Amino acid sequence: MVSNVPASSVYVIAVSNLPTEVESRFPSSPENANITSVQNLALNVNQLSDGTGGVAAIPLYGIGNITNSSEEMGYWETHVDLRPVGSRLEIKQFTAENDIKEYQVDGIFISSFYQFMSISGTPSSLIHKGEENDNHTKYKGGSAEYPDELPLWDYNSSGLGVFNNTTLEYASANIGNVWAYNLFPGVGTNTTNKDVPHIIIRLSNIQYADGTTATGPKYLTVKGYNGNKLFFFVKGNVYSISNLQFNSTNLTDKLTVPDPGTDPGINPGTDPKEVDVDITVISWIVQSVIADL
């Protein structure tokens, strides 16, 4: 039960799991605050829990209409569904086709992502990392483009996981674990304005079936999902790639990432109210997707 709600109030906003820095900007008297002052509070993707920490710390948001119960005059109530403000992307494993004999996954990097999102769900500042440089130092852990505070990459020059010589599969050394990234969903529609994150995978130590060895790192670029039919990510959804399959034709020497700006694969009374607030925390929804290379 929430007491002393102004008589003119018509909505209740509920939030949870806010980062400390965002909480410090929260209205000191939220029951008297303008609704937009809360809805417009900006979250930074750097503040989302690292994907390895799961989804428990992702901020939650919900809004409900205040109604006067027909059962009891003067009794006000509302129902609020608390939903995650972010989406989650997971990769379970990689599998090479028979034209590749051996390889190592050095790094996974998310590109074309939103840096900010309001608590109510409006994203801003689309970050597009662009093509790799000649020295191969951009898509590398701890670089200027992928600093430690950005939780949208994994990198290890010795490899992120374990290679299986028999199945040509590459997965986490810890059985059952995935590579996961929490991010803000875009603003596409079902027919236009594709707006999905790209995945850049850096590989090394590649040996081909014909006995030759690749020189330097190679790259895989995921710029779409489900045959280019997934137009945007949805808040509260986990997008799981169970097996990212590729062959030598999918590899590039110097990464060139499509520009999301041009590439279609990217873009009434006077007395205070006492309101009985019923809140339901909505579960995450797992969506299996196929990566487009």
Side-chain angles (χ1 to χ4, degrees):
M1 188 70 71
V2 179
S3 301
N4 295 317
V5 177
S8 59
S9 298
V10 293
Y11 300 106
V12 166
I13 287 179
V15 294
S16 182
N17 293 346
L18 290 183
T20 302
E21 187 277 329
V22 178
E23 281 190 352
S24 68
R25 293 185 279 115
F26 207 77
S28 57
S29 299
E31 69 275 7
N32 293 308
N34 185 288
I35 191 171
T36 57
S37 67
V38 176
Q39 291 177 316
N40 291 339
L41 285 174
L43 298 166
N44 190 321
V45 73
N46 294 0
Q47 298 167 329
L48 296 185
S49 172
D50 189 298
T52 56
V55 297
I58 296 297
L60 306 175
Y61 167 85
I63 184 171
N65 289 306
I66 298 175
T67 59
N68 192 187
S69 172
S70 58
E71 298 178 359
E72 181 180 346
M73 292 301 296
Y75 175 78
W76 300 89
E77 61 186 357
T78 187
H79 176 84
V80 179
D81 287 336
L82 269 180
R83 301 178 185 275
V85 301
S87 301
R88 180 176 172 89
L89 179 61
E90 297 181 347
I91 304 174
K92 294 184 178 180
Q93 71 175 37
F94 300 86
T95 301
E97 295 182 7
N98 290 332
D99 60 345
I100 296 176
K101 182 179 178 181
E102 189 173 340
Y103 63 97
Q104 173 181 294
V105 177
D106 293 341
I108 303 171
F109 304 86
I110 306 301
S111 184
S112 295
F113 61 88
Y114 285 97
Q115 188 72 45
F116 302 102
M117 175 173 276
S118 67
I119 287 180
S120 60
T122 301
S124 60
S125 298
L126 179 63
I127 303 297
H128 177 60
K129 294 299 185 179
E131 70 177 17
E132 177 62 289
N133 56 45
D134 292 333
N135 296 322
H136 300 281
T137 56
K138 175 182 286 188
Y139 289 93
K140 189 174 182 179
S143 66
E145 289 78 9
Y146 288 93
D148 291 342
E149 61 268 22
L150 178 65
L152 295 180
W153 61 271
D154 284 292
Y155 178 81
N156 188 328
S157 60
S158 299
L160 293 178
V162 175
F163 178 72
N164 186 313
N165 287 285
T166 302
T167 62
L168 303 183
E169 295 173 350
Y170 197 95
S172 171
N174 298 313
I175 298 175
N177 282 13
V178 299
W179 292 286
Y181 309 94
N182 299 325
L183 38 77
F184 297 132
V187 291
T189 70
N190 286 323
T191 55
T192 61
N193 188 29
K194 276 189 180 297
D195 197 353
V196 293
H198 295 163
I199 310 173
I200 312 303
I201 300 101
R202 176 169 172 157
L203 301 95
S204 67
N205 298 331
I206 301 171
Q207 295 183 26
Y208 297 110
D210 62 6
T212 59
T213 300
T215 302
K218 302 289 184 181
Y219 299 91
L220 284 171
T221 303
V222 175
K223 63 176 183 178
Y225 307 88
N226 292 350
N228 211 29
K229 294 179 181 179
L230 180 61
F231 283 71
F232 59 96
F233 281 12
V234 176
K235 292 183 292 183
N237 279 224
V238 178
Y239 295 89
S240 176
I241 300 173
S242 61
N243 189 15
L244 201 163
Q245 297 178 288
F246 66 97
N247 58 46
S248 61
T249 65
N250 301 129
L251 303 177
T252 57
D253 292 314
K254 183 180 178 183
L255 174 68
T256 301
V257 184
D259 186 339
T262 58
D263 187 270
I266 311 290
N267 178 50
T270 56
D271 295 328
K273 299 174 182 177
E274 185 174 77
V275 182
D276 189 3
V277 181
D278 175 44
I279 291 179
T280 298
V281 178
I282 302 300
S283 299
W284 286 77
I285 300 172
V286 178
Q287 304 278 0
S288 295
V289 296
I290 298 173
D292 301 335
L293 298 176

